[in-house]
Amino acid sequence: DLDPNYSFAYFCLGTTLASGESVKLLNGQQMSQQQLYIKAIDLDPNYSFAYFCLGTTLASGESVKLLNGQQMSQQQLYIKAIDLDPNYSYAYYNLGTTLTSGGSVKLHNGQQMSQQQLYIKAIDLDPNYSYAYYNLGTTLTSGGSVKLHNGQQMSQQQLYIKMIDLDPNYPDAYFNLGDTLAYGGSVKLLNGQQMSLQELYIKIIDLDPNH
């Protein structure tokens, strides 16, 4: 109310809302989470976080119109966030989720990146980004491996093991890890625990009885 042109305030207010919620400003204007991010971008067109968060309000294939009239898809919003902040790991990861297997996208700097390369970049920027390891694993076929930017070669199995090490409560990682094992096989987690296929499935049920 004191400064109606304060872009950061619109952005922060947007982060307090859940999808579909709205809030009434002191001037009586009702604004949705999406509208708050759009307003933040209008006041500061170089606000990378606002583009990213606006992208998260959209479903695949949806687009949104900015106040300057520009129509932007979810993919374009993540690309814009990367253009403004090339070290924004979440933007690379989310951009990867907009692609299908084998798909690629061109960044504003002209670089063409595949889904796999986007997840590798996210890991390079944040080596503890658990979901990036998991999603990178899903891009590989059984027996396949991938080289990270630090030179480390990781198999599909090692990527799921790394995900579990970073987030031990993610049931899908145990399930996918189980898929890499032959019947009767077992695998050693990074904490030293040896788990059989049966034990992996028991763990999944423990974490999510409805899985």
Side-chain angles (χ1 to χ4, degrees):
D1 186 50
L2 296 174
D3 184 358
N5 296 317
Y6 192 13
S7 63
F8 186 58
Y10 285 96
F11 172 79
C12 289
L13 183 55
T15 64
T16 69
L17 299 178
S19 178
E21 288 185 345
S22 65
V23 65
K24 186 180 282 189
L25 304 188
L26 294 182
N27 64 4
Q29 183 181 6
Q30 196 82 22
M31 296 188 78
S32 67
Q33 186 184 57
Q34 196 176 83
Q35 289 171 323
L36 289 163
Y37 293 145
I38 290 171
K39 183 65 175 178
I41 289 168
D42 188 58
L43 294 171
D44 182 359
N46 295 317
Y47 201 167
S48 61
F49 291 151
Y51 288 96
F52 173 83
C53 287
L54 182 55
T56 65
T57 71
L58 299 178
S60 179
E62 286 186 346
S63 66
V64 66
K65 186 180 280 189
L66 304 186
L67 293 181
N68 65 3
Q70 184 181 5
Q71 196 81 24
M72 295 189 79
S73 67
Q74 187 182 56
Q75 195 175 84
Q76 289 171 323
L77 289 164
Y78 294 144
I79 291 171
K80 182 66 174 178
I82 290 169
D83 183 53
L84 294 169
D85 183 0
N87 296 316
Y88 196 2
S89 60
Y90 289 162
Y92 287 95
Y93 173 85
N94 279 30
L95 183 55
T97 66
T98 71
L99 299 177
T100 54
S101 180
S104 68
V105 66
K106 186 180 280 190
L107 304 187
H108 285 176
N109 65 5
Q111 184 181 6
Q112 195 82 24
M113 296 189 78
S114 67
Q115 187 182 56
Q116 196 175 84
Q117 289 171 324
L118 288 164
Y119 294 144
I120 290 170
K121 181 67 175 178
I123 291 169
D124 181 53
L125 294 169
D126 182 0
N128 294 317
Y129 198 167
S130 59
Y131 291 106
Y133 288 96
Y134 175 81
N135 277 25
L136 182 55
T138 66
T139 70
L140 299 176
T141 54
S142 181
S145 68
V146 66
K147 185 180 281 190
L148 304 186
H149 285 179
N150 64 4
Q152 184 181 6
Q153 196 81 24
M154 295 189 78
S155 67
Q156 189 181 54
Q157 190 177 88
Q158 288 171 322
L159 289 164
Y160 295 141
I161 289 171
K162 181 67 175 177
M163 167 65 179
I164 290 168
D165 185 59
L166 294 168
D167 184 357
N169 297 317
Y170 191 51
D172 287 354
Y174 291 93
F175 184 83
N176 283 21
L177 181 56
D179 279 347
T180 70
L181 298 179
Y183 184 75
S186 68
V187 65
K188 185 182 280 190
L189 303 187
L190 293 182
N191 65 4
Q193 183 182 5
Q194 196 81 24
M195 295 189 79
S196 67
L197 188 63
Q198 190 177 80
E199 288 170 326
L200 288 168
Y201 290 143
I202 290 171
K203 181 67 174 178
I204 294 162
I205 293 168
D206 180 55
L207 294 170
D208 181 4
N210 298 316
H211 196 286

